[in-house]
Amino acid sequence: MNPTIKDVAQRAGVSVGTVSRVLAKNKTVNEDIRVKVEATIEAIGYRPNILGRSLRLAKTDIIGLVVPDITNPFFAELAKHVEMLASAEGYSVLLANTHDDPEAEKQQIETLLGRLPAGLILVPVSNSLVDGLVAGTRTVTVDRPLSGHALVAVDNRQGGYLAADHLLSLGHRRLGYISGPGTTEVSSERREGFLRRLEAFRQTHAGDYVAPQIVEGHFDYRSGEELGKRLLMQPAATRPTAIATASDQQAIGLLRAAGDMGVRVPNDLSIVGFDDIPLASLVLPRLTTIRQPIDEMARLALDGVLGSHALEEEYKLQPVLMRRGSCAAPSGS
Amino acid sequence: MNPTIKDVAQRAGVSVGTVSRVLAKNKTVNEDIRVKVEATIEAIGYRPNILGRSLRLAKTDIIGLVVPDITNPFFAELAKHVEMLASAEGYSVLLANTHDDPEAEKQQIETLLGRLPAGLILVPVSNSLVDGLVAGTRTVTVDRPLSGHALVAVDNRQGGYLAADHLLSLGHRRLGYISGPGTTEVSSERREGFLRRLEAFRQTHAGDYVAPQIVEGHFDYRSGEELGKRLLMQPAATRPTAIATASDQQAIGLLRAAGDMGVRVPNDLSIVGFDDIPLASLVLPRLTTIRQPIDEMARLALDGVLGSHALEEEYKLQPVLMRRGSCAAPSGS
DNA sequence: TTGTCAATATGAAACGTTTCATCATCCCAC
DNA sequence: GTGGGATGATGAAACGTTTCATATTGACAA
């Protein structure tokens, strides 16, 4: 088997306690001995057994990361940043997928907690608190709130607001909105922000105001495509000249629907997405979208989980509008 | 703190050894006692401490998964399947990104090995063997080979062959090929397969044969776009009527380049990708591509790592051509 | 010389399991 | 009634650390 601290101690002619203190770096240890022990460690290729240490210290160097679906580019991006930052601090990341299933989520979180992680970063799918979640582990939720826990998220209302504002200022009046599942807070906040801006517009331009057409589905490509078709299937006179979506995936699905139906973007239809996933700037046309500063979110989440200070309740970040090629003034104007 | 096995033993009036045997399920234990112990466990909410167990057993329930970039849809898909299968077997997945950097890879693998994983699933970026990697942990590489280790991969030559075959049979003669980095085996195999089919064609249709135009870059979107532009910038008379790529990301980049330059797909240009990432069937037009059976690859990799049988050297899977909308007969015909 | 203090090494306990060699019961055959 | 198997519980050791109380040493002051 691998050499243990005992082997090092024996070979270096000191006690295991001393070796341990050498390992701990900051402890006071006689220089000569330190050198000898370090040489021995090098010589026999000793690597501390992390299990022994963790058992003794009753904590691990592991961060649990629970996401609905790692295949979703937004969460993949989150995972990448979390992993980068965590490994820079000597932590490893344990990945779990919930597939948007509350039952699976509960299961996953429970086995994760069983591994005594240093902290948990969670994108929750349900509001059902897992037993012991509150008590035990430092937990930060990302993107979606979970009562009783710190949340790192973008200001979704502001995001929806920006999308509507951009389209209105380009001159669009007949707007469509492709929403995410009505049950999720994220989704309703984005929609709310969108509607709030429209409402403000109505206050000042009552005559010019047109009620938006809203459809609702999932956050994924397919849903964007289907709902997009539904909105675009109308005669040109009533069909929206611009559509905002609750996710870039939806927006890309919508792009596809538009292409299928011969609706040109941005000439006949303007589109603004949400998230700014990497692909957003690679589709044709490049997608105008509301960017979530996901690197910043990862950093805050990890700081929250690893930091020793008390957890804030909410870290709301400001989304920003990325103007690209999928929006233009309506063709009539 | 959490209740320990000692608490259970004490409360149930038995020894810790007995509780342990109850936990082990398959051991012989008196029925009454079993019931009482289980009740006690339930009553005080005892959860075995996994660190104590792992230390004693000198092994963990953790699978290390090392990929170049979790943001790449292909690896995200791999991670999803590995995680699903692993968690069904009671294992958790530790995720590490190497960013295609050999130094980072070495670092990541070393800290991973320090955690004594039950096995390692690795998409290697370099051929430098990590010390102790061979000796210690059951390791399976995926997608790319690493000498001395089991490999799960698609038959890349066959994939390239299929792509060329499809394009030839549609009537294309002036072919282009966008390759991945020449240094990677995966990339050269795909290209090789492509060229082999062309060579066979030349044998039988020497007069009809045109040498393919080959460009080389990275596997990502951007590279596909740039290299695509380079190929398409030629006058229509010499420009390829069909291009195969080494990845779907490249193909999607190429799609974008074509769109930018007013080259219509599939009318003016046929495209066939490689991988069949989820997005492939969602772009417009839907991408004809060489599919890697990634779920199967994940299953084989996990079986290899967890199974007790000796590791095979190679599991080569057969890729399959997915005919979708990005290919058509050349417009002249 | 003795006492004191600082510096630093030591040994053992503790973390929570599993396992193995013992030990206690009980039942049955003779 | 005794011997001997089964059956099943027990106690202790072991896994590899860290830490804490204790021991050792040397220097220096009184």
Side-chain angles (χ1 to χ4, degrees), chain A residues 177-204:
Chain A
Y177 189 80
I178 297 184
S179 168
T183 51
T184 72
E185 207 158 314
V186 171
S187 183
S188 35
E189 286 176 3
R190 289 177 190 175
R191 186 200 319 209
E192 237 174 87
F194 186 83
L195 294 178
R196 177 181 303 171
R197 178 64 187 87
L198 250 62
E199 185 54 30
F201 178 79
R202 168 144 83 156
Q203 300 298 328
T204 53

Side-chain angles (χ1 to χ4, degrees), chain B residues 8 54 70 85 94 120 144 185 216-217 260 268 289 300 308:
Chain B
V8 176
S54 294
I70 189 64
L85 296 168
L94 217 34
L120 200 59
R144 315 175 185 174
E185 207 157 318
E216 179 179 318
D260 258 358
D268 305 333
T289 191
L300 282 172
S308 50

